[in-house]
Amino acid sequence: MDLSHTEEEQDFRARLRAWLAKVLPELPAKPSPDDWPGRRAYDLGWQRRLYDAGYAGLHWPLDAGGRGATPTQHLIFLEETERAGAPYVGANFVGLLHAGPTIAAEGTAGQRARWLPPVLRGEEVWCQGFSEPGAGSDLAALRTRAVRDGDAYVVTGSKIWTSHAEVADWCELLVRTDPAAPKHKGISWLAMPMDAPGVTVRPLRTLAGSAEFAEVFLDEVRVPVANRVGAENDGWRVTMVTLSFERGTAFVGEVVACRRTLGALARAARANGRWDDPVLRRRLGRLYGEFGALWRLTQWNVSEAQGSGGVPGIGGSVFKLAYSHARQELYDAAAEVLGAGALSLEEEWTAERLSSLSYTIAAGTSQIQRNIVAERILGLPKGR
Amino acid sequence: MDFRLTEDQRDLRAGVRELLAGRYGREALRESVASGAAVDRRLWRELGEAGFFSLRLPESEGGVGLGLPEAVLVFEEAGRALLPGPLVATHLAAGVVPGAATGSAVVTAFDLGGPLVAHLGEADAVLGAEGMPPGEPVRSVDPLTPLWRSSGVLPPEHREAGALLTAALQLGSALRTVELAVRYAGEREQFGQPIGGFQAVKHLCARMLVRAEVARTAVYAAAVTGDAAEIAAAKLLADEAAVRGARDCLQVHGGMGFTWEADVHLHLKRAWVRAEQWHTAREAEELLAARLGTEAEAEAGADAEPDAESEVAVMG
Ligand SMILES: Cc1cc2nc3c(=O)[nH]c(=O)nc-3n(C[C@H](O)[C@H](O)[C@H](O)COP(=O)(O)OP(=O)(O)OC[C@H]3O[C@@H](n4cnc5c(N)ncnc54)[C@H](O)[C@@H]3O)c2cc1C
């Protein structure tokens, strides 16, 4: 059990910190949450700076255009960027955290060369077209159909809750290529250009008021067969690779952000006298302990991943369960610090409180995560 | 950074598990419950010979010369086996109270905050106290933790190590109750199938594991850093994992869980006792709040140039 960092890791941290101190003040002002083209430009601009400085695709393998950094270095990167208040991956989330790693792991040489560099350089944005109106938790029940016609698939159906669909160039799309096969068998993974004829995007407002995600309607969209990653009808396995990335690393930087928020909450509570309430104070103390432990759990998972070649394990489900609930508790505590002030949408913590409600749902609900933990870690009998 | 256990650490843990399985398996546990004899002097000496109490004593003083991380792994196993007796206090007394290191002395401590003390009648000494204080026996909730009404002071220098090792005992118990629940859920059939196939049962088990895993990393990390706030958090989370884990395990066992025959109640009762030892939840939360407050203030002061190093000490 060694929590100290090697000299190399410390060097890496120091250089990164110095670089962040230099570039962050040069960044343009943040666009408003509703200005999607503005957000896209801002996020891609940040990605470009990372690329130019050699920090893009840090944890991606070298042959995928990445830097081949160790999971520990990646962790340091997430920790330092978050601590410095650097922009979040934002619009580039799907490309960097799951479509990219999936193509790197499962794509052909040509597919890697076509799709990976633009993600790293901040030129193309991806979205994730998995969920459908009738297929959420039961993802394998998806019905969007792809029928082969020469060298193209003709795709018809609809997707929902597709984050960033409005501004995406590509969609990692799950389609049914064999309706006769058993549910998990007849699925394929396609890269679909979002500007293809027949694609319609209808933004959906979230309870937080902004349009984070959208419905995507697909009407006889032609997608080249060459855009299929993995074998035909083998998309479910490919998807499981994607999802392990999603659960494994997606929330790491946010633990650091939550710790920052706790500090700000403590300051606010002291300023408005609420710190004297022992119930609230102890609640904040407990959260401080919990987020500290969650950070340690992250380090534990990263050490395990380092030992197993970098693919995050199902320990990610344990983390996601604990984290998503702790995050909601954090913003409930924030509301208690603010008192009635928490009812104002102008309050940053109120917006965060609203958006924290998605964490126990997105990327697999807590109920589904508990099934995964019970069946795959604890070995309890599988449900239907 | 590599947070995983070293090979030596894994071997140590496996060795202790084996020793305890042979020397204090289920039958021995039930025998001591039946007889009410919490401390078995022969076993105590055997533990002493195996280095249980002298683990952190320097080799020059006849100890094993290992650190808190190793001690935590050993105590985790003791918690798993529900080994009774003032293990933590005797371990802390090694090198201080004659005979503690070798297990020829049984040492307890005023770790229950004063009004009560455990194992007074079976102990040769109380950590930090001169002579044996008088006490009135009290009927204890845990059949293997006899209690006396008595008062005395807990030496502050042992408080953190005591809390951490007690957290490790809680962790072992929490992990054990997950195993007990999962095993029962896989065997017991109702409605023509193992109850573990029912989602309500599955989710109880998954929650138990999540609490135990979060506690585990907290305990291990606190053992590595020795940081007071991390130790308080480890105790807080391990108490919760042990108490709520035992409760959920009891629920999974249904009516069987409410019987004296099932071991679950023993885990729950011991977990209740330990939750009152060294650091209560209230104390841990206050300590954590105080740390949060100081850190937040320091950050506000430093503002533009946050003192990175001091934060790294906590964040790793
Ligand atoms: C902010 C946000 C962003 C998202 N972004 C994307 C995206 O970019 N791309 C994408 O493809 N999807 C996205 N999603 C969709 C997300 O993956 C799904 O919402 C999620 O998987 C749950 O599916 P559902 O909404 O259909 O809920 P349902 O599956 O209908 O579930 C409803 C309730 O039933 C419970 N339930 C369902 N099945 C079971 C079961 N077997 N056992 C126990 N309980 C069960 C659920 O836990 C939940 O409480 C996003 C969602 C959110 C909230």
Side-chain angles (χ1 to χ4, degrees):
Chain A
M1 282 185 257
D2 182 6
L3 286 169
S4 65
H5 287 101
T6 63
E7 217 163 284
E8 207 185 331
E9 287 161 356
Q10 280 167 5
D11 260 16
F12 174 79
R13 189 193 291 277
R15 267 181 287 127
L16 174 59
R17 202 176 276 184
W19 179 75
L20 287 166
K22 187 171 77 69
V23 297
L24 290 182
E26 298 168 359
L27 281 184
K30 274 205 173 104
S32 105
D34 289 322
D35 174 13
W36 261 107
R39 283 172 70 177
R40 176 187 153 110
Y42 182 85
D43 293 344
L44 292 186
W46 171 241
Q47 179 64 28
R48 180 71 205 194
R49 277 172 197 259
L50 288 173
Y51 180 82
D52 289 340
Y55 290 116
L58 202 60
H59 62 301
W60 286 21
L62 292 170
D63 61 1
R67 301 273 146 188
T70 61
T72 302
Q73 282 175 326
H74 185 214
L75 192 63
I76 293 173
F77 174 79
L78 294 171
E79 186 185 353
E80 288 298 325
T81 44
E82 184 52 57
R83 187 186 326 192
Y88 185 58
V89 274
N92 230 6
F93 182 91
V94 173
L96 280 170
L97 294 181
H98 26 113
T102 304
I103 293 167
E106 300 286 334
T108 63
Q111 290 174 332
R112 291 163 165 222
R114 165 62 191 88
W115 287 311
L116 299 183
V119 167
L120 292 180
R121 285 196 299 259
E123 289 163 5
E124 287 179 352
V125 168
W126 284 70
C127 63
Q128 185 188 68
F130 286 7
S131 306
E132 296 184 8
S137 300
D138 188 11
L139 184 56
L142 63 93
R143 301 222 311 251
T144 291
R145 284 184 61 168
V147 181
R148 199 122 166 200
D149 178 26
D151 59 1
Y153 288 108
V154 178
V155 180
T156 300
S158 71
K159 296 287 170 179
I160 195 165
W161 302 302
T162 316
S163 304
H164 320 143
E166 262 184 281
V167 291
D169 304 288
W170 292 92
C171 178
E172 49 169 359
L173 189 73
L174 286 187
V175 293
R176 187 158 297 286
T177 31
D178 182 0
K183 201 160 120 175
H184 294 84
K185 294 274 161 59
I187 294 171
S188 299
W189 196 106
L190 304 181
M192 179 185 78
M194 288 297 283
D195 60 1
V199 178
T200 311
V201 175
R202 195 174 72 91
L204 269 171
R205 252 159 82 91
T206 72
L207 56 72
S210 61
E212 291 295 324
F213 46 31
E215 283 180 280
V216 178
F217 301 97
L218 307 163
D219 182 18
E220 302 203 344
V221 182
R222 293 185 72 85
V223 180
V225 172
N227 285 19
R228 192 190 65 231
V229 173
E232 187 168 272
N233 300 327
D234 193 29
W236 187 253
R237 191 188 55 76
V238 179
T239 303
M240 290 303 112
V241 173
T242 310
L243 292 182
S244 75
F245 281 107
E246 184 168 9
R247 286 169 199 151
T249 50
F251 306 110
V252 169
E254 299 188 37
V255 177
V256 184
C258 286
R259 291 177 60 116
R260 268 209 333 230
T261 301
L262 261 177
L265 274 179
R267 284 193 292 273
R270 286 191 156 178
N272 71 9
R274 291 191 180 241
W275 187 256
D276 298 332
D277 171 356
V279 176
L280 176 61
R281 190 173 61 234
R282 283 175 52 189
R283 192 167 166 193
L284 293 175
R286 164 176 285 264
L287 281 165
Y288 176 75
E290 275 182 34
F291 280 105
L294 284 171
W295 178 253
R296 296 306 190 191
L297 182 58
T298 300
Q299 289 180 317
W300 178 269
N301 285 341
V302 161
S303 289
E304 292 276 322
Q306 198 143 306
S308 69
V311 178
I314 37 182
S317 289
V318 170
F319 176 82
K320 187 187 182 261
L321 273 166
Y323 171 71
S324 56
H325 290 272
R327 188 183 175 106
Q328 291 177 359
E329 302 265 316
L330 170 68
Y331 287 104
D332 283 351
E336 209 176 319
V337 170
L338 293 170
L343 299 175
S344 159
L345 273 177
E346 258 115 77
E347 186 52 65
E348 188 191 339
W349 290 331
T350 303
E352 290 284 356
R353 188 186 195 194
L354 290 173
S355 81
S356 78
L357 297 170
S358 74
Y359 286 74
T360 48
I361 297 170
T365 66
S366 292
Q367 285 67 36
I368 296 300
Q369 301 296 336
R370 286 191 192 107
N371 286 349
I372 292 174
V373 167
E375 290 168 10
R376 296 205 220 140
I377 301 180
L378 296 177
L380 286 170
K382 266 187 94 64
R384 256 181 336 105
Chain B
M1 180 202 78
D2 188 355
F3 198 176
R4 289 173 302 164
L5 272 56
T6 63
E7 215 169 301
D8 284 349
Q9 288 170 335
R10 279 201 301 269
D11 289 349
L12 173 70
R13 188 166 65 172
V16 177
R17 185 175 299 189
E18 206 174 305
L19 172 98
L20 290 178
R23 201 48 193 79
Y24 199 74
R26 174 140 206 283
E27 264 171 42
L29 167 68
R30 297 310 304 207
E31 257 168 49
S32 48
V33 171
S35 70
V39 178
D40 168 353
R41 290 274 175 169
R42 233 180 69 202
L43 175 57
W44 210 252
R45 272 191 299 275
E46 283 173 38
L47 291 172
E49 274 159 35
F52 200 94
F53 303 118
S54 63
L55 195 77
R56 290 188 304 133
L57 216 53
E59 286 177 69
S60 58
E61 292 172 39
V64 189
L66 292 172
L68 269 182
E70 286 76 20
V72 149
L73 295 174
V74 167
F75 274 73
E76 176 185 327
E77 290 307 316
R80 184 186 282 272
L82 259 180
L83 194 62
L87 295 159
V88 172
T90 304
H91 175 97
L92 294 172
V96 181
V97 176
T102 57
S104 53
V106 174
V107 184
T108 188
F110 281 110
D111 55 12
L112 285 165
L116 296 176
V117 62
H119 301 290
L120 188 64
E122 301 155 295
D124 303 307
V126 182
L127 190 63
E130 302 223 346
M132 290 300 286
E136 283 289 306
V138 172
R139 275 160 42 101
S140 170
V141 65
D142 174 9
L144 291 177
T145 311
L147 295 173
W148 278 261
R149 198 179 307 282
S150 182
S151 57
V153 191
L154 184 66
E157 70 270 23
H158 291 301
R159 185 139 181 154
E160 276 160 20
L164 180 64
L165 295 176
T166 306
L169 291 169
Q170 296 284 54
L171 169 65
S173 175
L175 290 165
R176 180 72 187 134
T177 52
V178 179
E179 282 171 17
L180 290 173
V182 168
R183 197 178 64 199
Y184 192 77
E187 287 168 1
R188 169 75 175 163
E189 291 194 8
Q190 288 293 286
F191 301 98
Q193 67 171 90
I195 56 168
F198 298 120
Q199 208 171 48
V201 174
K202 242 181 227 181
H203 286 196
L204 275 176
C205 296
R207 282 170 189 270
M208 290 168 74
L209 183 78
V210 170
R211 282 194 299 260
E213 286 294 329
V214 174
R216 186 212 295 267
T217 40
V219 169
Y220 288 3
V224 173
T225 64
D227 175 84
E230 282 207 86
I231 289 174
K235 178 67 167 45
L236 183 68
L237 295 169
D239 284 346
E240 190 169 290
V243 171
R244 292 182 60 188
R247 198 186 285 250
D248 287 348
C249 181
L250 201 146
Q251 182 70 21
V252 168
H253 279 73
M256 180 52 74
F258 196 66
T259 67
W260 190 265
E261 276 71 38
D263 294 343
V264 192
H265 69 107
L266 299 174
H267 279 280
L268 179 59
K269 291 165 178 172
R270 190 76 54 82
W272 277 342
V273 172
R274 291 184 191 127
E276 294 297 325
Q277 287 175 314
W278 302 98
H279 253 325
T280 61
R282 187 174 44 76
E283 289 163 342
E285 284 169 355
E286 283 290 4
L287 191 150
L288 287 161
R291 172 68 73 91
L292 168 63
T294 333
E295 226 178 64
E297 218 137 85
E299 242 165 68
D303 223 355
E305 191 53 53
D307 178 7
E309 285 322 308
S310 72
E311 204 181 327
V312 169
V314 190
M315 300 275 307

